[in-house]
C-alpha cells in the first residue's frame, strides 16, 4: 500500500485564503463574534479538506479520499487511461495540475497527487495496460 498526498496548488489556495482572510478581518474589526465563529469553522473545514485529500494505491485498488464527503474506490485493472490535465472543474484535487483517470469505459476522475511521477509510475507498474498520455515526455522515468 502506498499513500500519496494531494499537491496543493497556490492557484486554488490563494483566492480561498484571501476571501476567508477578508471576511475574518471584517468580522474582527466589527466585533461580530458570530461571524468570527462561522468564518473560523469554514477555515478549519478548508484546512481539513486540504490536509485530508489523499490517494492510496494497493495492489488491486485506488482509493481516493477528500475529507469525509468524498471517497471513491477504483479497481486498478479497470483503469484504461491516464492523462495530465489542467482545469478548474470540481474534483477531489487541491491543485489545477491534475491527472485524469479514465476507468470502466465511461467514467473518469481528476486527482492531483503531490508526487505525480511516482504515482503514475506506480500505477503503470500495477497495470501495464494503462495508456498514458503526458505533456512532458521526461515525466516518466
Amino acid at each position: 500500500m502506498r499513500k500519496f498526498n494531494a499537491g496543493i496548488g497556490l492557484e486554488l489556495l490563494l483566492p480561498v485564503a484571501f476571501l476567508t482572510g477578508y471576511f475574518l478581518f471584517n468580522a474582527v474589526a466589527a466585533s461580530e463574534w458570530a461571524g468570527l465563529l462561522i468564518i473560523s469553522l469554514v477555515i478549519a473545514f478548508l484546512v481539513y479538506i486540504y490536509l485530508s485529500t489523499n490517494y492510496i494505491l494497493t495492489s488491486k485498488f485506488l482509493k481516493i479520499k477528500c475529507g469525509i464527503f468524498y471517497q471513491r474506490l477504483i479497481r486498478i485493472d479497470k483503469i484504461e487511461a491516464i492523462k495530465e490535465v489542467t482545469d478548474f472543474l470540481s474534483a477531489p484535487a487541491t491543485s489545477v495540475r491534475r491527472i485524469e483517470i479514465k476507468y470502466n469505459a465511461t467514467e473518469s476522475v481528476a486527482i492531483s497527487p503531490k508526487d505525480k511521477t511516482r504515482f503514475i509510475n506506480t500505477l503503470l507498474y500495477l497495470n501495464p495496460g494503462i495508456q498514458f498520455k503526458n505533456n512532458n515526455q521526461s515525466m516518466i522515468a
Side-chain angles (χ1 to χ4, degrees):
M1 176 178 87
R2 291 191 180 169
K3 181 178 178 181
F4 295 85
N5 291 323
I8 297 176
L10 293 178
E11 64 281 343
L12 294 179
L13 183 61
L14 289 178
V16 170
F18 176 77
L19 284 173
T20 54
Y22 172 78
F23 289 121
L24 185 65
F25 175 79
N26 284 336
V28 169
S31 297
E32 291 287 337
W33 305 118
L36 181 61
L37 176 64
I38 291 169
I39 294 299
S40 297
L41 290 173
V42 168
I43 291 170
F45 178 71
L46 291 173
V47 167
Y48 165 71
I49 292 294
Y50 269 86
L51 295 178
S52 69
T53 300
N54 60 61
Y55 318 105
I56 298 171
L57 285 173
T58 66
S59 61
K60 298 196 184 286
F61 294 99
L62 164 60
K63 181 179 181 181
I64 302 169
K65 183 177 182 289
C66 183
I68 59 173
F69 299 112
Y70 186 93
Q71 288 192 25
R72 182 170 293 177
L73 196 62
I74 299 170
R75 289 181 53 103
I76 291 176
D77 63 349
K78 298 294 182 183
I79 297 174
E80 300 150 7
I82 53 178
K83 70 177 179 177
E84 295 178 272
V85 294
T86 303
D87 62 37
F88 285 92
L89 298 176
S90 178
T94 53
S95 171
V96 296
R97 292 177 297 282
R98 301 171 179 182
I99 300 168
E100 181 181 41
I101 298 175
K102 295 189 183 258
Y103 62 100
N104 290 342
T106 60
E107 298 182 78
S108 70
V109 64
I111 62 172
S112 62
K114 184 176 184 177
D115 187 351
K116 284 196 286 186
T117 301
R118 195 170 121 231
F119 180 87
I120 292 169
N121 284 336
T122 304
L123 199 54
L124 292 173
Y125 174 78
L126 294 170
N127 181 354
I130 295 173
Q131 294 180 356
F132 175 60
K133 301 171 191 167
N134 71 336
N135 302 328
N136 179 3
Q137 294 299 328
S138 66
M139 183 166 187
I140 300 302

